[in-house]
């Protein structure tokens, strides 16, 4: 399911914001505690460490190499930046497969010239992915499926760069004209980044990985050259399972009793169900409300959803949050 984003009069980020507000207004299972937003906005901004790289960013995005190699690595990483629903299966098999494991394994594959170019991605097989990410074949059907999906998404990204950008990721960036929104829109038209669902028979665009690609590209390339984007503040949060998890345990989101019980019991939340869409979309709208509150209070006129996403996402790595179950969904979108 895709939306013809390049044909829309509103940009991709505006579409996401409006759809998220619609879902939040109708949601039955996930709700925002508006009375807590002001204090929480102040708390988050007090924790801000600026726009620079965190330790995790340096480990996963701060790679050496030419500008083309760095850009290619970021695109490959965000083409396969999903699997949270599958990671629990890997943990049960004593296999390391979280975001950092995924990124560092891909970095090694780049350094070893296994997956360094879009031409290589275009022909990569699930068997190669098993080897690159250290997942034994037939360890579990779900993990075999994930490696197949990784190969599929790399194939699609490699083919798109070859077909439209002469095999060079920098040509894709040049086409963006220093716009993060434009980069998100370009890749959102590719099947592997077309993160659109439905809610009450209405299309709901979310585009998590398309938007995070723009933010990651800016970060990895130091905001220089073709990644000197002038509209990063238009991006929404990158709706996954971490942001709602943190917002829930910080008291900003409340869940219906049955949804909360299912998540706490480690049950999978089926993709594209009303509950799963609400978890992501209401999180987007909650952070938009936080931005509005922060600006109205004069705490910061320049704070953006991107700023708050970075704070919330890194907050989620504290032990208090890691020790509690976040929702898991078998999906390619996060």
């Amino acid at each position: 399911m895709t939306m013809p984003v390049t044909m829309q009069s509103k940009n991709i980020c505006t579409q996401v914001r409006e759809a998220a507000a619609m879902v939040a207004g109708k949601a039955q299972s996930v709700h925002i505690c508006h009375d807590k937003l002001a204090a929480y906005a102040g708390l988050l901004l007090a924790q801000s460490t600026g726009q620079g790289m965190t330790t995790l960013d340096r480990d996963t995005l701060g790679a050496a190499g030419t500008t083309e190699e760095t850009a290619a690595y970021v695109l490959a990483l965000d083409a396969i930046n999903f699997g949270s629903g599958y990671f629990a299966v890997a943990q049960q098999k004593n296999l390391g497969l979280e975001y950092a494991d995924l990124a560092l394994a891909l970095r090694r594959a780049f350094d070893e010239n296994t997956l360094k170019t879009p031409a290589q991605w275009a022909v990569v097989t699930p068997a190669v992915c098993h080897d690159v990410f250290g997942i034994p074949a037939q360890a579990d059907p779900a993990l075999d499926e994930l490696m197949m999906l990784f190969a599929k998404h790399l194939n699609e990204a490699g083919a798109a760069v070859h077909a439209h950008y002469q095999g060079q990721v920098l040509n894709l960036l040049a086409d963006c004209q220093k716009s993060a929104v434009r980069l998100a829109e370009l890749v959102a038209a590719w099947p592997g980044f077309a993160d659109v669902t439905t809610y009450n028979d209405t299309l709901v665009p979310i585009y998590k990985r398309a938007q995070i690609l723009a933010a990651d590209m800016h970060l990895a390339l130091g905001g220089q050259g073709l990644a000197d984007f002038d509209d990063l503040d238009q991006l929404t949060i990158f709706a996954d399972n971490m942001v709602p998890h943190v917002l829930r345990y910080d008291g900003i989101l409340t869940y219906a009793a049955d949804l909360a019980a299912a998540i706490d019991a480690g049950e999978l939340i089926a993709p594209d169900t009303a509950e799963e869409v609400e978890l992501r979309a209401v999180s987007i709208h909650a952070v938009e409300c936080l931005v509005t509150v922060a600006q109205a209070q004069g705490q910061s006129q320049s704070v953006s959803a991107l700023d708050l996403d970075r704070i919330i996402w890194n907050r989620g790595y504290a032990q208090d949050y890691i020790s509690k179950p976040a929702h898991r969904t078998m999906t390619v979108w996060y």
Side-chain angles (χ1 to χ4, degrees):
M1 180 194 329
T2 60
M3 294 180 72
V5 293
T6 58
M7 298 299 291
Q8 298 287 327
S9 59
K10 297 176 180 177
N11 75 40
I12 191 175
C13 299
T14 299
Q15 294 172 38
V16 173
R17 283 184 170 89
E18 291 183 352
M22 178 274 294
V23 173
K26 298 179 178 180
Q28 299 296 307
S29 297
V30 182
H31 300 286
I32 301 170
C33 297
H34 288 274
D35 60 324
K36 297 183 179 181
L37 292 178
Y40 191 62
L43 173 68
L44 294 181
L45 291 174
Q47 293 188 340
S48 176
T49 57
Q51 301 294 323
M53 283 193 172
T54 64
T55 300
L56 179 61
D57 292 331
R58 285 189 290 272
D59 288 344
T60 58
L61 295 174
T66 67
T67 304
E68 170 62 29
E69 288 168 351
T70 300
Y73 166 75
V74 174
L75 177 55
L77 175 60
D78 284 325
I80 58 170
N81 185 0
F82 59 86
S84 58
Y86 297 83
F87 294 165
V89 177
Q91 291 172 358
Q92 293 167 6
K93 302 291 181 180
N94 294 316
L95 297 170
L97 196 62
E98 292 285 347
Y99 170 73
D101 303 306
L102 175 67
L104 294 174
L106 182 66
R107 180 73 261 166
R108 288 192 296 272
F110 262 70
D111 292 342
E112 295 166 2
N113 200 30
T114 303
L115 287 174
K116 201 167 195 174
T117 67
Q120 291 172 317
W121 314 340
V123 296
V124 71
T125 64
V128 170
C129 289
H130 275 283
D131 183 57
V132 165
F133 299 106
I135 303 298
Q138 299 181 338
D140 187 275
L143 299 180
D144 288 345
E145 177 182 78
L146 183 61
M147 294 304 105
M148 179 192 70
L149 290 168
F150 280 0
K152 178 176 182 287
H153 281 244
L154 286 168
N155 293 161
E156 289 175 353
V161 174
H162 175 74
H164 302 294
Y165 300 103
Q166 297 77 52
Q168 298 290 301
V169 178
L170 289 182
N171 289 339
L172 166 63
L173 294 188
D175 197 12
C176 298
Q177 302 173 2
K178 297 191 176 181
S179 168
V181 175
R182 168 74 173 162
L183 176 56
E185 289 181 339
L186 288 172
V187 299
W190 303 357
F193 285 90
D195 181 7
V196 181
T197 185
T198 59
Y199 185 80
N200 292 345
D201 297 321
T202 300
L203 286 173
V204 177
I206 295 181
Y207 296 123
K208 182 258 184 178
R209 290 192 291 103
Q211 292 192 79
I212 203 172
L213 172 65
D216 284 349
M217 200 69 78
H218 179 268
L219 201 58
L221 296 179
Q224 301 295 312
L226 296 173
D228 181 17
F229 301 136
D230 59 11
D231 57 356
L232 285 167
D233 61 334
Q234 293 193 43
L235 300 177
T236 72
I237 64 161
F238 316 127
D240 54 10
N241 64 340
M242 178 71 88
V243 175
H245 176 60
V246 173
L247 294 180
R248 177 194 180 192
Y249 283 102
D250 282 347
I252 301 304
L253 295 182
T254 59
Y255 296 173
D258 55 347
L259 176 61
I263 293 171
D264 293 344
E267 297 175 15
L268 288 171
I269 306 302
D272 300 315
T273 57
E275 293 81 5
E276 194 261 342
V277 176
E278 288 180 15
L279 284 164
R280 300 178 75 201
V282 177
S283 297
I284 294 171
H285 188 61
V287 174
E288 292 300 316
C289 293
L290 285 167
V291 170
T292 299
V293 166
Q295 293 179 350
Q297 291 181 337
Q299 296 180 56
S300 174
Q301 291 302 310
S302 61
V303 68
S304 68
L306 174 60
D307 298 325
L308 295 184
D309 181 275
R310 286 175 59 80
I311 297 168
I312 292 168
W313 201 80
N314 284 289
R315 187 176 173 86
Y317 276 89
Q319 185 59 40
D320 285 349
Y321 301 96
I322 292 175
S323 63
K324 299 177 176 71
H327 86 266
R328 299 275 187 173
T329 298
M330 295 294 194
T331 180
V332 298
W333 304 127
Y334 58 96

